[in-house]
């Protein structure tokens, strides 16, 4: 496809570094892993803020997968999988 402009709006505090990103054509949103902020930020596909999930264990995650159908964020750490229930979307 053709390149699309993408910029984050409404995310507070701002994300310094996106450690992983999950986007799927079947999902409504894009999910950003911010290890330093210990959070997963949810934005619309145009970059507009929707929600965020905070947890100290997110700092140990290396990647993420999201199933909006199952309402789950799955985070991969070095030795285990962590699950977060999607509640705000």
């Amino acid at each position: 496809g053709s390149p699309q402009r993408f910029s984050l709006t409404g995310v507070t505090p701002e994300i310094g570094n996106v450690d992983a990103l999950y986007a799927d054509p079947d999902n409504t949103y894009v999910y950003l892993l911010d290890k330093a902020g210990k959070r997963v930020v949810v934005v619309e596909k145009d970059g507009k803020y929707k929600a965020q999930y905070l947890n100290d264990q997110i700092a140990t995650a290396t990647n993420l997968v999201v199933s909006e159908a199952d309402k789950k964020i799955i985070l991969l750490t070095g030795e285990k999988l962590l699950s977060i229930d999607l509640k705000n979307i």
Side-chain angles (χ1 to χ4, degrees):
S2 62
Q4 301 292 317
R5 266 193 95 99
F6 182 84
S7 63
L8 297 176
T9 58
V11 178
T12 304
E14 290 185 10
I15 297 176
N17 188 42
V18 174
D19 298 290
L21 171 126
Y22 187 83
D24 185 309
D26 294 330
N27 284 351
T28 303
Y29 302 104
V30 175
Y31 299 82
L32 310 170
L33 175 63
D34 175 13
K35 290 171 55 167
K38 301 176 185 175
R39 64 186 175 160
V40 174
V41 177
V42 183
V43 296
E44 294 177 5
K45 290 186 177 177
D46 64 0
K48 184 179 174 187
Y49 174 83
K50 179 65 178 172
Q52 66 182 339
Y53 298 88
L54 301 162
N55 188 299
D56 288 342
Q57 292 181 321
I58 292 173
T60 64
T62 57
N63 210 340
L64 74 162
V65 176
V66 179
S67 172
E68 288 181 353
D70 294 327
K71 298 205 172 278
K72 295 278 185 195
I73 299 172
I74 306 297
L75 299 164
L76 173 65
T77 67
E79 53 194 55
K80 59 184 169 180
L81 298 174
L82 304 174
S83 175
I84 298 173
D85 291 331
L86 289 174
K87 295 180 181 178
N88 297 329
I89 61 167

